[in-house]
Amino acid sequence: MLKRWLAVFLFCSTLLPVFAAGGRMITVSKSAALNPTVKVEVAGDAELSGTLPRFFQFCGWFDPAVPKKTADYTVRASRSTDGVSVFVYRGDDTKYLAGWRFAKTGNSRELAKSIVDTVIEYLFKDLKVKGFCHSRIVFCAQTEIGVRNIFVCDIDGQNLETLTAYRTLNVEPAWSPDGKSVFFSKYSRSGIDIVETTIRTPRRSRILSSFRGINTGAAISPDGSSMAVILSPDHQVDLYVLGLKRKFRKRLTTGIAVEASPCWSPDGKRIAFVSDRRGNPRIFVINADGSGLTMLPSVGIDAVTPSWSDDNKIAYATRLSRSGNYVLAVLDMDSKENKVVSKGEGSWESPGWAADNRQVVCKRTVNGKSSLWVVDTRSGNSRELLRTGTPLFDPSWSPCLKR
């Protein structure tokens, strides 16, 4: 992690109208560490019977039913000639809470995503997220020595796609606010450029920043109008904001300190970034106009790679001792309280928030081998998302992609 920081300066199916039994609507209240259990039953579709439980598991908001115990909820899906009917029951009740009919589709993964998204939106109204299972995760992987490219996968680690195929280093991918494109740093013989590439094919790419020296750490403002970026046009590594719709360049920091890893506040008024201006790398916040520079409280001896959630929390990586591995911590920007959220051996790095403001995706390295993991910041539970046999870096979770 510290080496990487120092390197900076050198739809699926069509959903038909919902119907609910007796017009009853419910809201689920959750404890911080306990998910409701769900039992999933599928009739008439062998492929859906495999994919539907998978997305209920990997969405992070349900636990599988315990054998010989009544589940909190039972979801029953059945395929007929005109589509798939889905009903949600409380426990073993015979009267359903709600039901939906989904149009027939040949893609069981997209159908499963839509079903789980619909159930989440119905049961967890406080989540206020639509299409969570359709969000995706972008990351970079080392494909050979000296070459890294950008890839994207679903929230269960499958449906892997290649976004770039360059013979160089391509790192630090970041999503556009609408989830339609990815921004990343592309190394070349002449320097480091910021490149944007679209997710949908045919892919289209364009260079957004190619000033002399370093162009790295792209972060797009919530309204898509500006980009925070690290530049070094005068051999000083500083934080800038570039206009994407109205062209401008504004320098926010000056001096010999090295800046890195910018990210925007959810209201687009502030930028968090890493700086060594106080010695070890720490996280600072500055207003988008360059005023109000403040160092944030953090645990550990350093704090790097911040990610700012939509509900005003900053996840970051830190070492609790000079000889220790990195762990993940979360700073609540309202209460200014910190807590360590990762558990287990190895080094946990580069967190990126999911749209549910609860889970983060990160890189975990154990015995020199890295893979992508998802950490539930409420419970501390974690799951491995993706292991490829090659080094993986810089994961970032997309906003919800509309169905």
Side-chain angles (χ1 to χ4, degrees):
M1 171 69 68
L2 191 55
K3 289 182 179 178
R4 176 190 154 201
W5 184 84
L6 292 172
V8 169
F9 64 83
L10 248 179
F11 172 157
C12 71
S13 62
T14 301
L15 179 61
L16 300 182
V18 175
F19 53 96
R24 293 164 52 197
M25 303 298 286
I26 62 172
T27 300
V28 178
S29 298
K30 299 174 72 316
S31 67
L34 183 65
N35 286 329
T37 57
V38 62
K39 180 181 179 181
V40 182
E41 299 174 352
V42 179
D45 193 320
E47 192 173 5
L48 185 61
S49 68
T51 55
L52 187 57
R54 182 177 182 86
F55 279 99
F56 270 108
Q57 175 186 358
F58 287 108
C59 73
W61 284 79
F62 298 94
D63 289 332
V66 178
K68 299 182 179 180
K69 289 188 177 182
T70 301
D72 294 313
Y73 298 98
T74 299
V75 176
R76 296 190 176 104
S78 59
R79 181 178 285 280
S80 60
T81 56
D82 61 345
V84 175
S85 297
V86 178
F87 297 90
V88 177
Y89 302 80
R90 188 187 297 277
D92 289 334
D93 288 355
T94 58
K95 190 174 184 179
Y96 61 82
L97 292 168
W100 305 266
R101 189 180 304 279
F102 294 80
K104 186 176 181 180
T105 175
N107 189 324
S108 68
R109 287 183 62 81
E110 292 304 307
L111 177 58
K113 292 177 188 178
S114 292
I115 292 172
V116 177
D117 281 341
T118 301
V119 173
I120 289 174
E121 292 162 24
Y122 176 73
L123 293 179
F124 303 108
K125 293 179 176 59
D126 58 335
L127 184 59
K128 297 180 180 178
V129 172
K130 296 183 180 297
F132 181 72
C133 289
H134 284 84
S135 61
R136 306 199 74 192
I137 295 166
V138 69
F139 62 95
C140 67
Q142 180 174 299
T143 51
E144 58 183 278
I145 300 299
V147 176
R148 295 181 190 177
N149 274 295
I150 310 297
F151 300 82
V152 66
C153 68
D154 286 349
I155 66 169
D156 65 344
Q158 295 191 7
N159 194 22
L160 189 66
E161 293 182 49
T162 302
L163 294 188
T164 68
Y166 298 115
R167 301 285 302 168
T168 182
L169 290 173
N170 303 273
V171 298
E172 296 186 319
W175 290 93
S176 63
D178 60 9
K180 294 181 179 180
S181 61
V182 167
F183 300 73
F184 60 95
S185 302
K186 181 178 183 293
Y187 284 63
S188 67
R189 292 181 179 179
S190 59
I192 309 172
D193 297 334
I194 298 297
V195 178
E196 177 188 16
T197 188
T198 57
I199 296 296
R200 295 184 182 274
T201 54
R203 304 204 197 284
R204 295 182 174 85
S205 298
R206 59 172 179 159
I207 296 175
L208 291 182
S209 178
S210 58
F211 296 102
R212 182 181 63 182
I214 289 174
N215 298 257
T216 191
I220 311 305
S221 62
D223 65 1
S225 66
S226 304
M227 176 173 66
V229 64
I230 305 300
L231 303 177
S232 63
D234 56 359
H235 306 292
Q236 291 190 157
V237 183
D238 283 308
L239 173 65
Y240 290 74
V241 172
L242 305 182
L244 297 180
K245 297 179 179 179
R246 177 178 60 85
K247 298 300 181 182
F248 66 87
R249 182 176 73 171
K250 182 174 182 60
R251 187 174 192 161
L252 301 190
T253 64
T254 58
I256 62 173
V258 174
E259 332 291 14
S261 305
C263 64
W264 290 83
S265 64
D267 61 8
K269 296 180 179 180
R270 294 176 293 169
I271 300 169
F273 64 100
V274 177
S275 176
D276 65 354
R277 64 186 57 228
R278 298 284 183 87
N280 285 347
R282 295 283 184 175
I283 299 172
F284 291 77
V285 169
I286 194 169
N287 293 329
D289 62 4
S291 64
L293 179 66
T294 305
M295 188 175 80
L296 295 180
S298 58
V299 295
I301 63 171
D302 52 22
V304 294
T305 59
S307 177
W308 207 324
S309 71
D310 287 340
D311 64 349
N312 211 27
K313 301 188 300 288
I314 291 181
Y316 60 96
T318 182
R319 292 178 299 158
L320 301 180
S321 67
R322 294 194 179 278
S323 59
N325 288 321
Y326 277 90
V327 298
L328 300 186
V330 171
L331 167 65
D332 187 314
M333 289 293 286
D334 296 321
S335 68
K336 295 299 186 289
E337 294 181 354
N338 282 278
K339 69 172 182 176
V340 175
V341 297
S342 59
K343 302 175 183 177
E345 64 177 335
S347 189
W348 303 78
E349 307 172 47
S350 303
W353 284 105
D356 64 1
N357 300 313
R358 169 180 175 175
Q359 302 173 84
V360 294
V361 63
C362 67
K363 168 191 170 184
R364 183 185 184 186
T365 304
V366 179
N367 297 325
K369 296 182 179 179
S370 63
S371 55
L372 300 186
W373 282 68
V374 172
V375 176
D376 186 330
T377 64
R378 294 188 184 180
S379 67
N381 294 332
S382 60
R383 63 176 174 89
E384 187 172 63
L385 171 73
L386 182 65
R387 179 184 296 270
T388 65
T390 60
L392 305 179
F393 310 88
D394 306 335
S396 178
W397 210 313
S398 80
C400 287
L401 308 177
K402 303 300 183 184
R403 294 197 303 272

